[in-house]
Amino acid sequence: MSRIDISKKVLLVTLLIFAVLTAAFTLTYSMQRSNFLELEHNDTLENVERVQNAVSAEQEYLDSIVQDWACWDDTYEFIENGNLQYINVNLQNQTLAGIKLHVTLFVNESGDVVYAKSIDIDTAEEVSVPQELLQLIKDGTLLTKAENETISGFVLLEESPMFIACHPILTSNSKGPVRGTLIFGKYFDEALLASFEDATCYSLTMYRTYEELPADVRSQIKSFSDFPDRPIIIPENDERIAGFFELEDISGKPALIIKADFPRRLYSNGERILDNMYFFLLLTGLMTGIGVKFALDRLFVSRIIQIDDFVTRIRSERDLSRRLSLENNDELYRLSKEINGMLNEINLAEQELKAQEQEKKVLLDSLNELVIFVSPELKIIWVNRSALECMNIELQKAIGMSLKDIPGTVGLLSSYLNFERIFVTGNKKSGEFTTKDGKTWYIQAIPVTGEDGKIIGILEMCRDITEKKKAEQLRKREINHRIKNNLQIVSSLLDLQAEKFSDRKVIEAFKESESRILSMSLIHQELYESGKLDSLDFSSYLRKLIADLIKSYNTKTGEIRVKLDISTVFLEVDTAVSLGIIINELFTNSIKYAFPAGAGGEISISLVREKSIEEITGNNSTGEILLESSGKLSGASKNYKLIYADNGKGFPEGLDFRNPESLGLQLVNALINQIEGSLDLERRNGTKFIIHFKSEL
């Protein structure tokens, strides 16, 4: 290792630590900033509640004085005889202006207005009573009938919104019978809004309708209908934050939207503190990283490089008389002492090498696996005891024997490993093979290289895994059975759930999901019934799948005919699952889009095997080979062509079938990529999909 390499690694470690610290600081910053936002939100809610309380207090004040006037013997007598003394004493303009009333209405039990007055409380001059109020009295909206019935809230008038308080007219003891309704009103105008601002020290704005709100606010405030009593908090900018709450009229409908905006002092101060802390921590981390890098270079890296140079020189010059000298009594110093001691022991190690070789032989002979070491000339160099017993020959006779002359099972296993290919490529091979006597062997061939990097031989190991494979077969069969049952349960649940919906698109989505699950469930049913766990008869599976799909979509056999042209073909499980789902999606699309309701037609599906280039040219001399990726002995990959066609309306011209928007065709393309296949489309006389793929069986 050169100086620059070790220095770069130390630098990378330092940068990594700094990056981790930066990420931690950033995460902490984000969390604290969120906490400040939450504090600001809660503080704004409290401020908005103060404004709400001020509005409620105004309404409560109006409710209180209307109750005092309505439950009064003088009022009770006045509503009956309309005496002028009551008016002259109690209903003077200055009196009503003093208690902040804009409108005073006395209505008898018949709904007739006995007395009405409206004044300007600023000038104490009488003005006309709003016609809208008189209309509300006429239609009975503001009238009370029972002793305990009151009306309180807002009414929207053309001039301005108004606080309204209505109370039945009773005696001073609050007894009846009710002789009418006393109605007090106070405008919720800009002057009152300004008084609320003075009382709360906040800036307030009143909107009569949702449409009056600014456009940017309307985009965030969709509706108060879900939570009408809950204020909505919206930051306006970095300096101001606003709270919105809704006021309802006497009928419970939205009447006003009040906006209260506040300065964002809490958030601004918190963000400033966090920014200062963040940059301070980053600066501290940077300075610490630089210091650590400098210390590591000086105290450790330079000395490690010295050790590396010494070891490299010893190896290149083979001068065992050299010794390594380091200062400071630490781990590196002790390492240098160990290196010096190791050089003294190398000679002893060489003498012990032969003893170790003998120990290795004993160890390999104790293994149950068959172990054979083969030379580049394909002759046996060494073989362990288990292999000798299987070959039924002595060690001296086995050494030098050619691979093609090895008797029994060992020779059969070795003949399939293609040792010539391994010597050329340098790649190890492994896999499984079943002999005629029913035993299953795991075979592995590992090339062994010398000091110059050339392959000096191949180590072949064979292990009998018959019992293990039997256990795996039983376990896989049980798993397939359970998967099939679970998928059928899911399919039944989807079918039951679909019955609860009436929307056609929802039902179709359930049916499509059910059919996909059905296609996978049939795979595991076929595997369980056949007993073969790595492959299945795709023709049998396809016939069952098509029959279930026709039944699922309630398709009459006379309307849509399905023609299958497929012989007995065994495919890998993964490939069969993908093809089953692909056919399911294409069949579903044909039912939905190719044939309009009531129209008949034909769907044809065929699967044929295509000859490979080696089969066409006759260049397939290797016969069976060992598949490294799949881990089992098998023939070469076979090419297949699946054709799905219908004579329906045809595939739309403007639709890109390789980049579709529908889930079904997206799934088809994804599964074809998964099995490393290709998809082509023909639009003549309906729709034809052509799929090319390979299978290792």
Side-chain angles (χ1 to χ4, degrees), residues 333-399:
Y333 171 78
R334 288 190 286 274
L335 177 61
S336 68
K337 301 296 287 184
E338 291 296 328
I339 291 175
N340 293 334
M342 180 183 63
L343 293 174
N344 293 329
E345 295 174 359
I346 288 180
N347 288 333
L348 293 176
E350 291 179 350
Q351 295 176 4
E352 295 175 357
L353 184 60
K354 291 183 180 180
Q356 293 175 359
E357 290 290 335
Q358 181 62 29
E359 292 176 0
K360 181 177 68 174
K361 180 180 182 303
V362 173
L363 177 63
L364 292 176
D365 282 344
S366 66
L367 297 176
N368 292 327
E369 289 84 350
L370 312 182
V371 182
I372 304 173
F373 190 54
V374 181
S375 69
E377 293 77 24
L378 302 183
K379 293 185 178 181
I380 295 177
I381 298 177
W382 185 86
V383 61
N384 75 339
R385 181 179 301 171
S386 297
L388 290 173
E389 292 175 355
C390 186
M391 295 163 59
N392 196 24
I393 57 175
E394 298 293 333
L395 177 61
Q396 292 76 11
K397 185 177 180 181
I399 294 176

Side-chain angles (χ1 to χ4, degrees), residues 157 246 332 590-591 626 630:
L157 304 180
E246 189 179 60
L332 293 179
S590 295
I591 296 297
L626 190 66
S630 63

Side-chain angles (χ1 to χ4, degrees), residues 51 193 196-197 200 202-206 245 258-261:
V51 178
L193 191 66
F196 288 157
E197 290 181 340
T200 60
Y202 305 135
S203 174
L204 304 177
T205 308
M206 178 172 58
F245 64 92
I258 305 299
K259 169 190 173 185
D261 64 281

Side-chain angles (χ1 to χ4, degrees), residues 24-200:
F25 295 158
T26 303
L27 178 61
T28 303
Y29 175 86
S30 300
M31 294 173 61
Q32 293 300 325
R33 187 173 183 272
S34 299
N35 291 337
F36 275 111
L37 287 173
E38 184 177 357
L39 289 174
E40 179 190 47
H41 186 273
N42 294 333
D43 182 66
T44 305
L45 282 177
E46 292 179 1
N47 294 333
V48 172
E49 288 176 1
R50 294 190 185 99
V51 178
Q52 288 179 304
N53 292 337
V55 176
S56 299
E58 189 68 30
Q59 182 67 58
E60 291 171 0
Y61 166 74
L62 196 62
D63 294 340
S64 175
I65 63 174
V66 77
Q67 180 181 2
D68 292 343
W69 282 56
C71 297
W72 186 18
D73 290 340
D74 289 353
T75 305
Y76 198 74
E77 181 180 350
F78 170 73
I79 201 70
E80 182 70 21
N81 55 31
N83 64 85
L84 294 177
Q85 183 181 359
Y86 181 88
I87 297 174
N88 294 331
V89 174
N90 300 306
L91 300 178
Q92 295 298 316
N93 292 354
Q94 290 79 5
T95 303
L96 298 178
I99 60 176
K100 307 292 185 182
L101 288 181
H102 286 97
V103 177
T104 304
L105 297 167
F106 292 82
V107 184
N108 62 22
E109 68 272 17
S110 300
D112 298 325
V113 177
V114 175
Y115 181 82
K117 176 176 281 192
S118 177
I119 65 168
D120 185 337
I121 62 175
D122 294 329
T123 62
E125 294 180 357
E126 188 170 349
V127 296
S128 61
V129 177
Q131 290 300 314
E132 296 101 319
L133 281 181
L134 297 177
Q135 182 62 37
L136 290 174
I137 293 173
K138 185 177 180 181
D139 60 24
T141 303
L142 300 180
L143 300 182
T144 60
K145 302 299 183 181
E147 296 180 7
N148 58 351
E149 180 183 3
T150 60
I151 299 174
S152 178
F154 289 92
V155 291
L156 292 179
L157 304 180
E158 183 177 353
E159 180 179 350
S160 179
M162 177 176 283
F163 287 97
I164 285 293
C166 306
H167 198 283
I169 297 176
L170 305 170
T171 66
S172 296
N173 295 327
S174 300
K175 300 296 183 179
V178 175
R179 285 188 175 178
T181 304
L182 178 59
I183 303 171
F184 282 174
K186 183 176 182 179
Y187 284 118
F188 192 175
D189 51 15
E190 294 298 330
L192 183 59
L193 191 66
S195 69
F196 288 157
E197 290 181 340
D198 295 338
T200 60

Side-chain angles (χ1 to χ4, degrees), residues 39 92 143 191 204 228 242 252 275 282 381 395 420 487 607 654 682 688:
L39 289 174
Q92 295 298 316
L143 300 182
L204 304 177
D275 288 341
L282 283 182
I381 298 177
L395 177 61
E420 296 92 338
L487 289 174
L607 177 64
E682 292 183 7
K688 178 187 290 186

